[in-house]
Amino acid sequence: DASSSGYIENVNTIQFGPFTADVGYVSGIGLFDSYGVGSGNLLMYARLATPRVLQNGDIFQFTAGNIDILFG
């Protein structure tokens, strides 16, 4: 329970793509307070344990339980 422990994780798979063009090198993720691309404020970020080069047709995803956030 995030309200008492300060810990949350994604309960569903979060998926981006399939991409229709080459994206390039991805080394981290960010959490923003807006849904719109290129808008809002960056609230937190993290480096990926395994950076990737995303190309046309690729799908980039985080399966359930693989994004962990601790508010403290």
Side-chain angles (χ1 to χ4, degrees):
D1 176 61
S3 62
S4 61
S5 70
Y7 172 83
I8 60 172
E9 67 180 18
N10 63 311
V11 294
N12 296 310
T13 295
I14 301 170
Q15 179 175 307
F16 303 92
F19 296 103
T20 57
D22 291 349
V23 174
Y25 185 75
V26 177
S27 61
I29 61 170
L31 180 64
F32 291 83
D33 63 359
S34 174
Y35 182 75
V37 175
S39 64
N41 300 296
L42 177 63
L43 303 175
M44 60 185 65
Y45 64 93
R47 293 181 188 202
L48 296 175
T50 306
R52 290 187 51 191
V53 174
L54 299 175
Q55 300 176 326
N56 185 20
D58 284 350
I59 295 173
F60 185 63
Q61 69 180 14
F62 299 94
T63 55
N66 281 315
I67 297 178
D68 304 314
I69 300 174
L70 177 62
F71 294 96

